[in-house]
Amino acid sequence: MTTKTIAENLLAEMAEAGDATARCELGSRLSSDVGVGQDRDDHKASELYKLAADGGSVNAQHNYGCHLQKQE
């Protein structure tokens, strides 16, 4: 079991509250393409990218599009 830092907990709280930038960042951390500092989960990354893209994050729109293209 890993202990999350204060920053990781805050990022998760912000994403849960609907912050598109936080959702995109968490998606990137979970993605097997980018993933940093935690276990990879492409399904969850895709969900976060979609939510962030729908919330107006241009970076998430790009990342979600790349993720979908990779799935083909």
Side-chain angles (χ1 to χ4, degrees):
M1 183 170 118
T2 61
T3 303
K4 290 186 176 182
T5 66
I6 293 171
E8 289 170 329
N9 286 330
L10 181 57
L11 187 63
E13 287 178 24
M14 292 171 64
E16 191 67 32
D19 184 278
T21 302
R23 286 176 169 171
C24 184
E25 176 63 25
L26 279 180
S28 292
R29 289 176 182 221
L30 290 169
S31 169
S32 61
D33 291 331
V34 179
V36 175
Q38 59 192 57
D39 294 335
R40 308 303 181 257
D41 184 344
D42 283 331
H43 179 73
K44 182 66 176 173
S46 180
E47 290 176 356
L48 288 165
Y49 284 151
K50 171 102 171 69
L51 288 170
D54 290 344
S57 169
V58 175
N59 288 336
Q61 291 168 7
H62 169 79
N63 293 351
Y64 185 59
C66 290
H67 183 78
L68 290 176
Q69 186 176 29
K70 182 178 142 186
Q71 300 300 316
E72 292 179 353

